[in-house]
Amino acid sequence: MSTSYQTANGVFTRKSTFFWASVGATVGLANLWQFPYLASLHGGGLFVLIYLACLLLVTLPLMVTESALGRYSRHGIVLAMDGLIRSTRCSRAWMLAGRLSVLAAFVVLSYTAVFGSIALAYVFFGAMGRLSSGSEAEAASVLSGLVSDPGQYRNFMAWHAFFLLLVVWVSVQGVARGLERTMRVVVPGALVLMLVLFGLAAWQGRIDGAFAHTLEMRPEDVSLGSIKAALFHAFFTLGLGMGVWTVFGTYTTPDTRFKRSILAVVLMDTLVAVLAGLMIFALATGGTDFDGERGFSLLFVSLPVSLAQFPGSQLIIACAFLLVVMIVWTTSLALLEPVVGWLREWTGAPRGISVVLVGLLVWAAGLVTLLSFNIWAEYRLYGATLFRWLELFTGGLLIPLVAILIALFTGWCLTRRLAHQLLGRTPGLFARLWYWDMRTVLPVVVAYVGIMYTAFSLNNLCENGSAALWCERPAPLVLEIAPDETQGADPGPSVSGGQGSEPRSEGAEPADGDEQATPERVEQPENAPKEDEILYHSV
């Protein structure tokens, strides 16, 4: 039976579902492969506190605003903006915020699903014993065979289709029967599995080192760069600027205290980030040292190598990557909703047709990312693959721009009365601070995040050898050596190739003086994403 808050797209039947769905949307791969590295580098427990402060001061107001748009209008981000624009007679140009947010969700989902497919394949690889050798070279070979081998890209495409089929299968059943049921089962299940793996690490005596690196207070390691890292991580890991919070606000029941729920989500995200950081640090490194490792190689090379030392390693590796699949699965379900909701509101098409159509388009768009790791790896624009430009386009432009436009629209286009009506019942001090934050602070902070993110990414291209116009070209260095000094000199160890100088051999055996040991070592696949290429956007 339809209720007074029933929407055309569907509705949650329980008020706690908003919390579980939001946790599923916010807990992403960055909690596994980025947060522990950042905490160990930037002061441990002090970084966690700085990160929590950034969540509360910067991202919490934006999360409340996006959720309030959906709750107030009972529509997705595009129609929500349209209704408010009509009621305030503001410029139709503000509609750009809604449309860009849907585009951002679509693009991010396209490459998030690719990483989900790798994790899904690793569940089966682990169960079959392909990752149980304990050799880093073997683990890198498995990853290379799946991701970057040009002759095996069709297998990669099959795993990609398999993962998206799981996403579509849930979404096509509707909001209540599909999305709500899955979030209420999978998200708590993922947290329980994370606790089990955490307990396994504690049982093996690996937690003490993880606590020391991740939670120990180290003021000497805190700098302005630490604040910037915490701000970036807080902004990019919570699904802002992609319409996710608006569509979840649309689905909430009338008795859902969504502002309290959002605060609970922020605290839960921090708790999960800390727990995941401890777990990954303990399991992937043995609780000793990260050695600067993060990202792709940490999750898909170091983790299975370390887990292979455990009794029953096949089951443990399969469970570890099942956890990763559950995290990416819920994230993908959340990202799919704004796109499906927009298509249904725009065309009036049934949900089943809309989900299947969007799923096919996401699969096709995901091939751009998938193939840029193998058969399209040589096609580069200014030194970057197509995936790298997609990631930069969403992280440096789309998501910050949407957040800025929503903040400016709320603070300057809406009247104060309408803005407070949008926010709902709330303490007067919070309402005034929120409104002032939307008008002044958040647009500046988010613009800074977007600009610095873009600058960092473009500079990273230069460090990787790009010949782009923005890269500095230093004058060639001429070194004059006296002729008599070159006769009979011991050339010493060669580092001209750059590979031997990188501290990335924690899983390899000592070379024992063999000059060919370093070149023979199999590292992360050449065409796989590097640590600096996947920063935050698997939400």
Side-chain angles (χ1 to χ4, degrees):
M1 181 177 178
S2 178
T3 62
S4 59
Y5 60 92
Q6 180 74 45
T7 70
N9 291 330
V11 68
F12 293 145
T13 60
R14 300 183 183 182
K15 61 181 181 180
S16 60
T17 304
F18 177 81
F19 170 78
W20 290 116
S22 299
V23 171
T26 56
V27 175
L29 288 178
N31 292 89
L32 299 178
W33 67 25
Q34 190 78 3
F35 186 85
Y37 164 79
L38 294 175
S40 67
L41 187 66
H42 292 290
L46 288 177
F47 176 83
V48 176
L49 296 178
I50 296 171
Y51 170 68
L52 181 59
C54 291
L55 287 176
L56 296 175
L57 298 176
V58 178
T59 57
L60 178 64
L62 278 171
M63 293 161 67
V64 170
T65 302
E66 291 192 26
S67 300
L69 285 172
R71 184 181 175 90
Y72 179 81
S73 67
R74 293 297 175 181
H75 287 295
I77 183 67
V78 176
L79 284 188
M81 295 291 294
D82 180 67
L84 290 172
I85 288 170
R86 291 177 185 274
S87 63
T88 58
R89 298 181 180 180
C90 290
S91 170
R92 299 290 298 174
W94 290 105
M95 288 291 295
L96 184 66
R99 293 176 178 132
L100 289 180
S101 68
V102 174
L103 177 61
F106 179 84
V107 175
V108 172
L109 175 58
S110 72
Y111 55 75
T112 298
V114 175
F115 302 135
S117 68
I118 300 173
L120 182 60
Y122 265 52
V123 173
F124 291 88
F125 291 171
M128 294 185 297
R130 293 185 57 184
L131 300 170
S132 299
S133 67
S135 166
E136 188 170 350
E138 181 65 25
S141 177
V142 172
L143 180 61
S144 177
L146 174 65
V147 175
S148 57
D149 186 348
Q152 300 295 324
Y153 73 92
R154 290 183 178 85
N155 293 335
F156 196 4
M157 291 173 62
W159 287 110
H160 181 222
F162 186 12
F163 179 82
L164 277 174
L165 185 63
L166 295 177
V167 176
V168 170
W169 171 69
V170 171
S171 186
V172 79
Q173 298 179 58
V175 173
R177 295 180 58 188
L179 180 67
E180 181 175 18
R181 288 182 180 179
T182 301
M183 289 293 191
R184 294 182 65 87
V185 172
V186 175
V187 175
L191 296 178
V192 170
L193 185 54
M194 188 179 298
L195 288 173
V196 170
L197 293 174
F198 180 85
L200 177 65
W203 176 58
Q204 291 291 317
R206 298 184 175 195
I207 289 297
D208 291 343
F211 267 102
H213 282 83
T214 307
L215 293 181
E216 185 180 82
M217 300 291 183
R218 298 191 301 276
E220 66 277 6
D221 292 337
V222 177
S223 63
L224 290 177
S226 304
I227 299 175
K228 184 172 72 172
L231 178 62
F232 275 43
H233 193 76
F235 178 77
F236 282 119
T237 59
L238 294 182
L240 296 171
M242 294 181 286
V244 172
W245 289 96
T246 302
V247 77
F248 282 175
T250 302
Y251 296 157
T252 56
T253 62
D255 55 345
T256 299
R257 297 182 176 181
F258 82 99
K259 291 184 285 295
R260 293 186 182 182
S261 298
I262 291 173
L263 177 59
V265 170
V266 168
L267 297 178
M268 177 62 79
D269 176 80
T270 306
L271 177 62
V272 171
V274 171
L275 181 62
L278 292 172
M279 180 198 70
I280 289 294
F281 196 110
L283 293 179
T285 69
T288 54
D289 190 10
F290 263 126
D291 199 18
E293 189 175 18
R294 64 193 189 278
F296 214 69
S297 62
L298 173 66
L299 194 60
F300 293 110
V301 177
S302 296
L303 181 60
V305 168
S306 181
L307 292 179
Q309 313 303 322
F310 286 76
S313 60
Q314 290 181 228
L315 177 62
I316 294 174
I317 293 173
C319 288
F321 284 101
L322 177 61
L323 172 63
V324 179
V325 170
M326 295 167 77
I327 289 174
V328 186
W329 191 20
T330 55
T331 298
S332 300
L333 287 170
L335 288 170
L336 184 64
E337 283 302 307
V339 186
V340 171
W342 165 79
L343 183 61
R344 293 194 66 195
E345 291 178 337
W346 181 47
T347 64
R351 182 176 180 91
I353 295 177
S354 300
V355 170
V356 172
L357 178 58
V358 172
L360 290 173
L361 292 175
V362 169
W363 176 80
L367 294 181
V368 175
T369 295
L370 187 151
L371 297 178
S372 69
F373 299 150
N374 37 73
I375 62 174
W376 289 356
E378 301 303 321
Y379 297 99
R380 295 175 177 262
L381 179 63
Y382 295 114
T385 61
L386 296 176
F387 158 71
R388 188 67 183 96
W389 284 113
L390 280 177
E391 206 274 344
L392 177 56
F393 175 61
T394 52
L397 178 62
L398 277 185
I399 292 176
L401 180 58
V402 170
I404 291 170
L405 289 176
I406 290 177
L408 291 176
F409 176 78
T410 305
W412 294 95
C413 190
L414 301 184
T415 63
R416 186 183 296 269
R417 180 178 180 181
L418 180 57
H420 288 177
Q421 186 178 355
L422 179 75
L423 186 62
R425 294 183 58 185
T426 191
L429 178 60
F430 177 83
R432 288 191 294 271
L433 289 175
W434 168 80
Y435 191 64
W436 174 77
D437 207 12
M438 290 292 110
R439 288 172 66 92
T440 57
V441 177
L442 282 178
V444 176
V445 172
V446 176
Y448 169 80
V449 169
I451 292 171
M452 293 303 296
Y453 184 94
T454 303
F456 173 83
S457 300
L458 295 179
N459 182 66
N460 179 252
L461 294 181
C462 298
E463 293 177 354
N464 290 336
S466 173
L469 297 176
W470 59 84
C471 297
E472 296 182 2
R473 294 180 175 84
L477 177 64
V478 178
L479 179 63
E480 296 183 359
I481 304 177
D484 57 342
E485 294 178 356
T486 63
Q487 301 298 324
D490 183 6
S494 172
V495 294
S496 59
Q499 297 294 330
S501 61
E502 297 181 8
R504 301 178 59 181
S505 57
E506 56 273 358
E509 296 294 329
D512 293 331
D514 185 2
E515 295 180 356
Q516 300 301 319
T518 300
E520 289 179 356
R521 180 183 176 275
V522 181
E523 298 185 350
Q524 181 180 337
E526 180 181 357
N527 297 329
K530 306 302 186 294
E531 283 88 346
D532 290 327
E533 289 188 342
I534 309 174
L535 299 182
Y536 305 103
H537 283 124
S538 294
V539 186

